[in-house]
């Protein structure tokens, strides 16, 4: 038997087996989808009344903590800004006041469900102000975490738009909902930046496994495939990492490391809040999960 005969025989065999392989693949994907749906639906059934509230509280926790810290460390923050920018006590005090008032008032509005869109825009402004004032723009790790925090606010903004549209149930609003879908896409993509700051390039088994699993999950969230299950898994994983690595309560309050760990802890909690919003709301229209419905 010549080489061409072998190739022809192999192609004929593949053609005969292809329908069976496609059918097996479809059944496997369908089983995986059913399993995922059961896990997520079970979780949402138990937590649907509380999940959005917990998500919003987690999301604004870093702003709440930072606003309270501005009150108790007013003079230290004022002196730091004055020393860094040489702007004088008056302008430095204005900066501290804007941070204190802007963050606490924004948190109150978000938790009370009043003027949420204005609160989100105000908190976006606080992020931008702090990025410049504390020179975060030149620190890639902190910049990525601030961008991830902005992603959480985008998801909160998308949720508030969803509530606004629900007043007119039954009325077609496809064009009006498009900005919301792109907000959800932007929020998902920005959220994954937090996990890029957690990657460790050590050669031990645990670090390699953590990097592989974490990277796979953040890609799934970013492209919107199996989004709710991937986001829920990331919530559990990130919460465990946060408790283990950012345990600021184990460090005396007078040590500088206490404030650093506290800052990281609440920023991570805010990203967890954003992921919980993804679990509660879904990935939105610009995602593979949504496109699967059209296939």
């Amino acid at each position: 038997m010549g080489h061409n005969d072998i190739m022809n025989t192999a192609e004929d065999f593949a053609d005969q087996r292809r329908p069976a392989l496609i059918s097996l693949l479809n059944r496997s994907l369908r089983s995986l989808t059913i399993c995922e749906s059961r896990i997520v639906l079970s979780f949402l059934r138990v937590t649907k009344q509380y999940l959005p509230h917990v998500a919003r509280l987690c999301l604004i926790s870093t702003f709440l903590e930072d606003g309270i810290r501005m009150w108790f460390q007013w003079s230290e923050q004022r002196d730091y800004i004055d020393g860094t920018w040489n702007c004088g006590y008056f302008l430095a005090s204005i900066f501290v006041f804007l941070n204190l008032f802007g963050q606490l008032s924004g948190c109150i509005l978000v938790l009370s469900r009043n003027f949420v869109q204005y609160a989100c825009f105000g908190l976006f402004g606080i992020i931008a102000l702090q990025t410049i004032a504390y020179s975060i723009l030149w620190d890639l790790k902190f910049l990525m975490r601030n961008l991830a925090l902005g992603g959480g606010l985008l998801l909160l903004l998308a949720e508030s738009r969803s509530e606004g549209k629900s007043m007119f149930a039954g009325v077609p609003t496809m064009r009006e909902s498009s900005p919301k879908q792109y907000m959800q896409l932007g929020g998902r993509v920005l959220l994954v930046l937090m996990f890029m700051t957690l990657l460790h390039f050590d050669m031990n088994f645990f670090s390699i496994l953590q990097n592989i699993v974490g990277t796979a999950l953040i890609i799934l969230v970013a492209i919107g495939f199996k989004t709710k299950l991937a986001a829920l898994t990331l919530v559990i994983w990130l919460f465990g990492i946060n408790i283990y690595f950012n345990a600021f309560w184990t460090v005396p309050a007078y040590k500088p490391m206490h404030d650093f760990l506290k800052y990281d802890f609440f920023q991570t909690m805010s990203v967890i809040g954003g992921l919980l919003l993804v679990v509660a709301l879904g990935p939105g229209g610009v995602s593979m999960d949504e496109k699967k419905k059209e296939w």
Side-chain angles (χ1 to χ4, degrees), residues 56 59-60 62-63 106 110 116-117 119-127 146-160 183 187 190-191 270-271 273-274 277:
R56 288 190 290 268
L59 204 157
I60 58 96
T62 189
F63 298 105
V110 168
V116 175
Q117 296 187 27
C120 288
F121 289 131
L123 294 174
F124 275 125
I126 294 294
I127 292 176
N146 267 19
L147 290 173
L149 192 57
L153 288 177
L154 271 178
L155 292 169
L156 185 59
L157 194 59
E159 184 207 23
S160 69
M183 286 177 195
L190 289 175
L191 276 182
S270 291
V271 175
L277 282 180

Side-chain angles (χ1 to χ4, degrees), residues 166-263:
S166 66
M167 295 172 57
F168 306 100
V171 179
T173 57
M174 185 173 299
R175 290 184 180 178
E176 295 179 348
S177 63
S178 294
K180 174 196 167 187
Q181 296 175 3
Y182 289 108
M183 286 177 195
Q184 290 177 286
L185 172 64
R188 293 199 322 267
V189 171
L190 289 175
L191 276 182
V192 304
L193 294 178
M194 167 62 78
F195 300 94
M196 295 177 66
T197 68
L198 299 175
L199 296 177
H200 300 283
F201 298 99
D202 303 327
M203 294 309 294
N204 62 71
F205 175 76
F206 179 75
S207 294
I208 294 173
L209 179 63
Q210 177 179 307
N211 290 345
I212 293 173
V213 174
T215 302
L217 289 172
I218 65 177
I219 290 174
L220 290 177
V221 171
I223 66 176
F225 183 68
K226 306 294 180 185
T227 316
K228 290 188 175 183
L229 182 60
L232 184 58
T233 306
L234 279 174
V235 166
I236 297 170
W237 178 52
L238 189 55
F239 183 76
I241 289 177
N242 199 28
I243 294 294
Y244 182 78
F245 287 106
N246 295 325
F248 65 90
W249 52 88
T250 63
V251 179
Y254 62 85
K255 292 188 175 181
M257 184 56 67
H258 177 88
D259 286 338
F260 283 115
L261 291 177
K262 193 174 183 181
Y263 174 81

Side-chain angles (χ1 to χ4, degrees), residues 17-276:
R17 295 296 181 180
R18 186 178 297 147
L21 291 173
I22 293 175
S23 177
L24 177 62
L25 180 61
N26 286 335
R27 286 200 299 269
S28 299
L29 289 174
R30 194 177 299 114
S31 300
L32 181 61
T33 302
I34 292 172
C35 180
E36 175 212 6
S37 300
R38 286 178 177 174
I39 293 173
V40 175
L41 286 175
S42 298
F43 177 78
L44 291 177
R45 191 178 298 113
V46 174
T47 63
K48 65 179 181 180
Q49 294 182 346
Y50 313 104
L51 187 60
H53 303 289
V54 173
R56 288 190 290 268
L57 179 60
C58 289
L59 204 157
I60 58 96
S61 63
T62 189
F63 298 105
L64 187 62
E65 185 275 332
D66 197 50
I68 295 173
R69 184 167 59 89
M70 289 290 171
W71 174 264
F72 287 103
Q73 297 182 3
W74 180 288
S75 58
E76 291 92 335
Q77 294 296 323
R78 180 197 60 198
D79 293 343
Y80 174 82
I81 294 298
D82 181 31
T84 302
W85 293 95
N86 196 25
C87 58
Y89 271 21
F90 178 74
L91 289 178
S93 298
I94 292 296
F95 170 83
V96 177
F97 174 77
L98 286 176
N99 276 271
L100 187 154
F101 178 77
Q103 291 183 104
L104 293 184
S105 60
C107 292
I108 292 171
L109 291 176
V110 168
L111 292 177
S112 63
R113 315 303 298 141
N114 293 312
F115 305 104
V116 175
Q117 296 187 27
Y118 296 106
C120 288
F121 289 131
L123 294 174
F124 275 125
I126 294 294
I127 292 176
L129 183 63
Q130 291 188 351
T131 299
I132 297 172
Y134 293 113
S135 301
I136 293 174
L137 196 60
W138 316 117
D139 189 317
L140 184 60
K141 178 180 177 180
F142 285 102
L143 178 61
M144 292 172 72
R145 291 194 171 195
N146 267 19
L147 290 173
L149 192 57
L153 288 177
L154 271 178
L155 292 169
L156 185 59
L157 194 59
E159 184 207 23
S160 69
R161 287 181 63 89
S162 176
E163 291 180 350
K165 301 303 178 189
S166 66
M167 295 172 57
F168 306 100
V171 179
T173 57
M174 185 173 299
R175 290 184 180 178
E176 295 179 348
S177 63
S178 294
K180 174 196 167 187
Q181 296 175 3
Y182 289 108
M183 286 177 195
Q184 290 177 286
L185 172 64
R188 293 199 322 267
V189 171
L190 289 175
L191 276 182
V192 304
L193 294 178
M194 167 62 78
F195 300 94
M196 295 177 66
T197 68
L198 299 175
L199 296 177
H200 300 283
F201 298 99
D202 303 327
M203 294 309 294
N204 62 71
F205 175 76
F206 179 75
S207 294
I208 294 173
L209 179 63
Q210 177 179 307
N211 290 345
I212 293 173
V213 174
T215 302
L217 289 172
I218 65 177
I219 290 174
L220 290 177
V221 171
I223 66 176
F225 183 68
K226 306 294 180 185
T227 316
K228 290 188 175 183
L229 182 60
L232 184 58
T233 306
L234 279 174
V235 166
I236 297 170
W237 178 52
L238 189 55
F239 183 76
I241 289 177
N242 199 28
I243 294 294
Y244 182 78
F245 287 106
N246 295 325
F248 65 90
W249 52 88
T250 63
V251 179
Y254 62 85
K255 292 188 175 181
M257 184 56 67
H258 177 88
D259 286 338
F260 283 115
L261 291 177
K262 193 174 183 181
Y263 174 81
D264 279 354
F265 179 86
F266 283 103
Q267 273 217 328
T268 307
M269 289 303 298
S270 291
V271 175
I272 288 174
L275 288 168
L276 287 175

